[in-house]
Amino acid sequence: MTRLEYLSQLKSELKHNGIPDADEIVSEYEQHFRFKLADGFSEEEIAAKLGAPETIAAQFTAIKSEAKRNGGRKALLVIWLTLLGLLEGMLDLLFAGFILALFGGAIAAAAIGVELIGAFNVGGLLPPMPYGGALVFGVCFLALAVLFFLAAYYCAAYLAQMVRASIRWRRNVLSDGMLPPLPWSPQFEPKARRRIRTVFLWAIMIFGITFVLGYAVLGLSTNAWEFWHALGWFGYVTP
Amino acid sequence: MNIQYKKGVLELCVLALLDQQDRYGYEISEYLSGRIDIADGTVYPILRKLKSDGLVVTYLSEESGGPPRKYYSLTSLGRKTYASDKAEYLAFANTVETILEGS
């Protein structure tokens, strides 16, 4: 068999077996012929030593079907990951809504606190009370705002970390785990963690103390346990 | 020895050659067919399989006089696979030898 006969037969066998880049494969054998010819072998000798074109083509075909089986498994995996991702996305969205609500709570509490301390009462939304009580409750609401904000911040960090870990996990599942998995809970620096804890403890302490103190101030100033009745809140008129 | 039997071992040999340095297809084919009784054309399907498994990558390199040669180079996955397959094969061959000598 001559060089051209061999190559064209190999090409047609590969095409017949449905190998997509037959040309690239054939060019490798073409190069083999070139090297061997330069070494002084005849085309016939080279072709005989290469092995029958059908045999060689069959060896390439065996690889292709193996790759296809792997591809099938991968496609299934992608479908499964997508379904899981949809569920995950919905839960993440729910969590994001919760975080947004916490932020809203923080802003509202801060606004009330500022109004009480500054005695602004924009729009007459706040119930009447002596300024002493308003001052204490203002501080109380500011502390509450800090607590809300901390909760929102921590939850947001948690959500971000979960999304990151999930993406890393997916990448590893699809590419045979080349990267270390990420933790699912947020990782703060020790310094940041200490700072968060300190702010949290101070805020909850101030909140507790000023809440009790505010109650006491308003209760004493109106001389009533249920001071909100005495102050005429919620449309209640003292008889 | 039949070809199916050799095929797995040939893959390991190709990985070993590429572990030493990057080589082009003909170089590997010549090296192996000079030492093991196989058809010259058998090495190219093995190289292609290694590539589709992600164990090797190819690149073209210009040589003085002649068309560019397609070089094969081990990936990090290829290196890892070679190390574990090599250890596995040596242990296996050792066992087989012990059994054969003992009988």
Side-chain angles (χ1 to χ4, degrees), chain A residues 89-156:
Chain A
M90 282 192 280
L91 289 175
D92 286 346
L93 215 62
L94 211 65
F95 196 27
F98 176 69
I99 292 167
L100 214 63
L102 285 177
F103 264 116
I107 291 168
I112 293 172
V114 169
E115 288 229 346
L116 284 172
I117 292 172
F120 299 132
N121 204 1
V122 177
L125 289 171
L126 295 179
M129 67 179 92
Y131 184 68
L135 188 66
V136 177
F137 268 117
V139 175
C140 177
F141 269 98
L142 284 183
L144 187 65
V146 171
L147 288 176
F148 263 117
F149 182 79
L150 275 183
Y153 176 74
Y154 188 81
C155 286

Side-chain angles (χ1 to χ4, degrees), chain A residues 4 6 50 52 72 98 102 111-113 126 129 139 151 156 160 164 166 168-169 226 232-234 236:
Chain A
L4 284 177
Y6 188 93
L50 272 175
F98 176 69
L102 285 177
I112 293 172
L126 295 179
M129 67 179 92
V139 175
R164 270 200 295 271
S166 172
R168 170 66 60 87
W169 175 72
E226 297 172 326
W233 292 8
F234 315 123
Y236 189 88

